[in-house]
Amino acid sequence: MTTTDNLGGSDVTTYADRKPLPYEIDADKEKDNRDAQWERVRARLRAEFGDAAFKTWLEPIAFLGVRGGDVRLGAPSRFLRDWVAPRYGDRIRAAWRLEDPDVLDVEIAVRERTEAKPATVAEAPVAAPAAPVKLKTTEFHGTDLTAQLDPRFTFENFVVGKPNEFAHAAAHRVAESATVPFNPLFIYGGVGLGKTHLMHAIAWHIAQRSPDRKVIYLSAEKFMHQFIRALRFKDTVSFKEQFRSVDVLMIDDVQFISGKDSTQEEFFHTFNALVDQGHQIVVTGDRSPSDLDGMEERMRSRLGWGLVAEVHATNYELRLSILHSKAEQLGRGTIPQKVLEFVAHRISSNIRELEGALNRLVAHADFSGGPITLETAQEVLHDLLRANNRRITIEEIQKKVAEYYNIRLNDIVSQRRARVVARPRQVAMYLAKQLTSRSLPEIGRKFGGRDHTTVMHAVKKIEQLRNSDATFAEDVELLRRVLES
Ligand code: ADP
Ligand code: MG
């Protein structure tokens, strides 16, 4: 991911035998083609992040063109750009790659705002970044391996409460310590609960206090891309060297490595080498090491060797303190307490959404010029409030699916294997995976104590059927809508 302010090396090195991009042949056709691709990319992002986040952050982004394998996008404000690039950049790039494997990187520029189309989000004062500290960059084939760190993700800006105090203390300890207190530190929890924030905070802290220590922070996804590229260049040796010479290696969202055998293997070796040499490793994941499906047993157990800290779902107190702190940072200390309490009560999913809600309120107030009241909050946050109202449970899914297929609820969790019950059961497992945040092992347990591989198989099977059988796909879609309504 690059932004125009910070043109690091492109993310993937061009290789000589690249086939010519279509626009090098026919510019007009190319344009239509690209616009259609952009529409599909947008649809994917919308599905992935949900309507609310999409509307607030991604909809205002415009497609400007493709040049030399770089997709160029425009944001209506610097604020929006700085918000979108670190959070959504990797996913935007991944979505583009699905459209066109020749896309190497995505670049977001700040465009002048036009009169006709006001930006959705106003330029808002962002908390002053910590003293400018620079991380050492680590290059591999001209690519900066260190991902961009968000200047706002510091310990100073991290609000501590019961749900995250243990993870915070552990992260702080790692950042402060000249030696290795526990290895690895594994932080896990649901999306938007502060895992990445804590990792960046460790990196900033170390960069400030001990600038000589070499820190690498990168997503597991990027680690994978880099490794695959090293394989292509037949250059895995120097790839390994890069990682093995760091003092602190941080890998974010390790669940993305699951199932990719060669990458897992490499990660495992790098991991062991670093641990043996007494270097610190910090890893985050969306579930505990033992629940990482698709990860080799030895890797799972190794990940659990050090300290495992969970960031728990938020509680009301934490949400309210976070709102206070963010409102202050935005220079909006004047938002009525009643409104903050209302939002803290009602937006309980995660901190990212909480922040999104606050930003939306502030943006709305700026555009309308009116005060922020309970009524405006209810109106402006309408869709978020609705989504937060509905927590779909596995039990509900089982019930609805049983009703729909006209089988007994008991059959869904029973061991019966007849097709008439086995297929609906798979549908229910599939929906449980899609509509709840439960892990595969948890889902398996709720379905009569089945193994997580059974759930994984069900998910794959249903995906397959959805693609090959339109009627079946409609059934599933209908069930999804009923459950979500
Ligand atoms: P995760 O990596 O767990 O999905 P992030 O670290 O990206 O979540 O956090 C999502 C958003 O919420 C970020 O903008 C982050 O700054 C904010 N956030 C999370 N936890 C806290 C906290 N305790 N205090 C302040 N902001 C937080
Ligand atoms: Mg994260």
Side-chain angles (χ1 to χ4, degrees), residues 89-128:
D90 283 353
R91 302 309 305 158
I92 298 176
R93 189 178 59 216
W96 262 106
R97 287 244 177 96
L98 289 176
E99 287 296 327
D100 177 358
D102 284 331
V103 162
L104 303 175
D105 206 352
V106 170
E107 182 187 300
I108 307 184
V110 179
R111 284 184 315 155
E112 285 300 307
R113 216 179 289 174
T114 59
E115 290 302 298
K117 208 175 165 212
T120 314
V121 174
E123 190 91 32
V126 174

Side-chain angles (χ1 to χ4, degrees), residues 153 190-197 199-200 217 252-253 255 284 352:
F153 289 6
V191 289
L193 296 181
K195 301 181 297 295
T196 298
H197 188 135
M199 270 196 159
H200 287 205
Y217 162 87
D252 207 354
D253 288 321
Q255 70 274 8
T284 69
R352 187 172 297 144

Side-chain angles (χ1 to χ4, degrees), residues 153 157-159 164 192-197 326 351-352 355:
F153 289 6
N157 290 342
F158 191 85
V159 181
N164 60 23
L193 296 181
K195 301 181 297 295
T196 298
H197 188 135
K326 306 258 171 197
I351 300 167
R352 187 172 297 144
E355 263 183 358

Side-chain angles (χ1 to χ4, degrees), residues 210-355:
S210 350
D212 290 338
R213 296 183 78 192
K214 194 161 149 193
V215 179
I216 288 191
Y217 162 87
L218 79 173
S219 64
E221 217 175 357
K222 189 154 179 179
F223 182 89
M224 231 165 59
H225 280 311
Q226 297 295 340
F227 177 64
I228 291 165
R229 182 165 1 148
L231 279 178
R232 193 191 289 153
F233 283 117
K234 301 195 174 34
D235 198 8
T236 49
V237 175
S238 59
F239 176 79
K240 289 173 196 179
E241 285 312 307
Q242 286 300 341
F243 286 105
R244 291 179 193 182
S245 64
V246 305
D247 295 302
V248 183
L249 173 63
M250 299 200 263
I251 304 268
D252 207 354
D253 288 321
V254 76
Q255 70 274 8
F256 284 118
I257 291 185
S258 301
K260 319 277 189 322
D261 286 352
S262 54
T263 322
Q264 244 189 73
E265 187 76 23
E266 187 43 47
F267 180 57
F268 187 69
H269 289 310
T270 305
F271 187 102
N272 287 339
L274 284 173
V275 171
D276 289 346
Q277 293 162 20
H279 298 307
Q280 179 71 54
I281 298 181
V282 184
V283 179
T284 69
D286 67 349
R287 61 207 97 162
S288 76
S290 55
D291 277 345
L292 282 169
D293 331 298
M295 179 111 3
E296 263 186 65
E297 176 50 36
R298 56 176 186 161
M299 189 69 228
R300 274 189 273 171
S301 84
R302 196 75 212 246
L303 284 171
W305 272 17
L307 187 76
V308 177
E310 179 174 2
V311 281
H312 297 275
T314 59
N315 58 20
Y316 173 71
E317 285 71 31
L318 177 61
R319 293 196 295 274
L320 190 60
S321 339
I322 288 175
L323 285 173
H324 273 296
S325 148
K326 306 258 171 197
E328 197 114 312
Q329 280 173 31
L330 291 168
R332 303 305 173 105
T334 54
I335 298 178
Q337 174 72 5
K338 274 215 156 9
V339 172
L340 296 182
E341 285 174 4
F342 170 76
V343 176
H345 257 301
R346 298 290 302 276
I347 310 278
S348 56
S349 48
N350 66 50
I351 300 167
R352 187 172 297 144
E353 267 196 12
L354 195 66
E355 263 183 358

